[in-house]
Amino acid sequence: MTILTILGARPQFIKAGTVNRAIKQYNSLITNHQSPITEIIVHTGQHYDANMSDIFFDEMKIPKPDYFLGIGGKSHGAMTGQMIEKIEEVCLKEKPDWVMVYGDTNSTLAGAIVASKLHIKLAHIEAGLRSFNMKMPEEVNRILTDRISNILFCPTNTAVQNLKNEGYDNLNVKIVKSGDVMQDGAMFYKDLAQKPLCDIQENYILCTIHRAENTDDVTRLENIFAALNEIAQQRQIILPLHPRTKKILQESKIDTDNLTIIDPVGYLEMVWFIDNCSLVMTDSGGLQKEAYFFEKQCITLRDETEWVELVENGFNTLVGADKTKILTAFDNTTAFSDKGLDLYGGGKASENIIKELVNYEI
């Protein structure tokens, strides 16, 4: 069986590395009458990331892409259209049994469209997630990809229920609650974590801010940073910040004096930050879950989240960009307790995915 995996952003590579390890594990255990799985990895180039050098792949124990398409830095339409054209060429050459896509990027949608048009079976990992905000391009991408997939690997019960609410029980598609491959990865990378080179105090808070809904809205930024500065008078806040966001803060004359602002860090350093912090404050979707994986409470600087089960079970507090809500959530933060719950599959998602693909029947 040949799987063609389409990836476009660094987080997708980290997730795909987890599934690739499950493929290798499967291949090592098969008997003579079973066929091994061949994975072909295509990097669209959607997000150019200087950190994704050969060192990145070696450190993260992720296979290097077989194809690099070099498509990035364009409008949504131009980017997606060019990806469709190039991915189609690769599919016609490689003739895979499956196309596998992750999440909700333009690369995800492009790979899904190609598979559908060429009648290649399509597997969507992280299916069923919904923010219910159609202004987000990611929401459009994930909905369209789900609709044309053959098998939908849902990370949570909420994701499964979202699909059922949309009528997927009536479609010719298999819905599988696989668990979340990010938890598999967190467990794997914890042992590889690297301590960053910066001034780190005890009991620090890890914060990240990068979403356009915050960085492109000066009023939201002002409210968020007013709260962060106040909190930072009590506890160190370490904030890895993208140069673009740093420039916006400087141009808007937003006060950051109390914060420990550092350059963006690699994933293994970020894992160390999460594992050793006392609290996470973020607008990142992935970091909300990683906080839970590493048993940290999370305050989410967004108006909605796809990970509603974290909010419902008290691991995550949604505060938007409201200064009062942010400060109240901080004041009310309690010690983490897992409450005996297993929300994301317990680290067996990748194994479940490969098992389903191998045994898939039309």
Side-chain angles (χ1 to χ4, degrees):
M1 180 170 71
T2 299
I3 299 172
L4 189 82
T5 298
I6 310 294
L7 306 169
R10 186 161 62 135
Q12 292 179 326
F13 277 90
I14 294 168
K15 296 166 190 171
T18 300
V19 175
N20 181 265
R21 285 188 288 277
I23 290 173
K24 290 176 178 175
Q25 176 72 6
Y26 171 83
N27 286 343
S28 71
L29 297 174
I30 60 175
T31 57
N32 290 334
H33 71 279
Q34 294 174 298
S35 299
I37 298 172
T38 300
E39 184 178 29
I40 300 166
I41 298 176
V42 178
H43 179 9
T44 65
Q46 176 173 341
H47 292 165
Y48 174 75
D49 192 330
N51 290 322
M52 282 182 60
S53 61
D54 287 351
I55 295 173
F56 165 78
F57 290 102
D58 291 340
E59 283 187 343
M60 299 298 292
K61 303 190 184 307
I62 297 171
K64 297 180 179 68
D66 300 285
Y67 291 88
F68 177 70
L69 305 184
I71 302 166
K74 307 176 190 297
S75 69
H76 285 289
M79 186 187 300
T80 307
Q82 289 179 34
M83 287 177 187
I84 290 171
E85 181 181 4
K86 294 297 184 182
I87 293 170
E88 183 181 63
E89 290 176 6
V90 175
C91 284
L92 290 172
K93 177 183 176 183
E94 298 291 351
K95 298 179 172 56
D97 301 291
W98 285 93
V99 167
M100 184 182 292
V101 295
Y102 290 75
D104 51 26
T105 64
N106 289 336
S107 303
T108 305
L109 178 60
I113 289 173
V114 171
S116 178
K117 296 286 188 180
L118 294 180
H119 307 295
I120 301 168
K121 293 190 293 294
L122 176 64
H124 186 198
I125 295 176
E126 298 178 306
L129 300 182
R130 299 291 184 267
S131 67
F132 304 102
N133 179 1
M134 289 299 291
K135 291 182 180 179
M136 292 174 59
E138 296 89 349
E139 183 79 350
V140 175
N141 291 344
R142 59 173 73 115
I143 288 172
L144 295 176
T145 299
D146 281 345
R147 182 58 186 84
I148 55 179
S149 294
N150 296 87
I151 188 164
L152 297 166
F153 291 113
C154 299
T156 63
N157 289 328
T158 303
V160 172
Q161 190 59 49
N162 286 339
L163 294 175
K164 291 184 176 182
N165 292 345
E166 294 173 15
Y168 275 75
D169 279 345
N170 301 317
L171 302 177
N172 185 24
V173 60
K174 187 169 187 181
I175 300 172
V176 177
K177 185 197 169 187
S178 58
D180 195 320
V181 293
M182 281 188 68
Q183 185 165 22
D184 302 24
M187 295 167 68
F188 177 79
Y189 289 118
K190 183 174 181 177
D191 293 335
L192 301 176
Q194 299 173 359
K195 184 176 182 179
L197 298 174
C198 70
D199 175 36
I200 302 171
Q201 301 171 12
E202 286 187 18
N203 211 28
Y204 68 89
I205 297 167
L206 174 65
C207 180
T208 70
I209 299 170
H210 77 277
R211 295 187 77 89
E213 65 196 72
N214 287 328
T215 61
D216 293 351
D217 187 324
V218 174
T219 301
R220 289 180 70 94
L221 274 182
E222 287 174 341
N223 290 336
I224 290 170
F225 276 86
L228 293 180
N229 269 302
E230 198 164 316
I231 294 168
Q233 293 176 15
Q234 304 175 51
R235 301 245 292 276
Q236 182 188 29
I237 296 180
I238 296 178
L239 177 58
L241 206 58
H242 190 278
R244 177 180 174 274
T245 308
K246 193 182 295 186
K247 183 180 179 183
I248 292 171
L249 291 170
Q250 291 169 346
E251 290 175 347
S252 304
K253 295 182 170 55
I254 293 174
D255 182 17
T256 61
D257 288 348
N258 294 332
L259 308 175
T260 304
I261 293 179
I262 62 173
D263 291 331
V265 298
Y267 183 73
L268 296 181
E269 292 175 308
M270 183 58 79
V271 168
W272 191 95
F273 270 138
I274 303 166
D275 193 27
N276 290 277
C277 73
S278 59
L279 174 68
V280 171
M281 302 179 72
T282 187
D283 61 7
S284 163
L287 190 49
Q288 293 173 53
K289 282 189 300 177
E290 287 169 321
Y292 171 76
F293 300 154
F294 288 95
E295 300 188 345
K296 312 295 178 183
Q297 291 291 125
C298 182
I299 296 173
T300 296
L301 307 166
R302 287 176 59 188
D303 298 321
E304 73 276 311
T305 180
E306 294 79 6
W307 311 111
V308 294
E309 60 281 346
L310 293 178
V311 176
E312 291 170 350
N313 288 288
F315 303 114
N316 189 344
T317 305
L318 276 178
V319 294
D322 186 307
K323 179 184 175 182
T324 301
K325 287 184 178 178
I326 296 170
L327 294 175
T328 300
F330 172 72
D331 290 337
N332 293 336
T333 299
T334 57
F336 185 95
S337 170
D338 66 12
K339 305 174 186 177
L341 297 173
D342 176 14
L343 299 178
Y344 296 105
K348 296 186 178 298
S350 300
E351 180 184 326
N352 294 338
I353 287 167
I354 296 308
K355 190 182 300 182
E356 288 288 344
L357 290 177
V358 169
N359 296 317
Y360 179 86
E361 295 180 2
I362 300 174

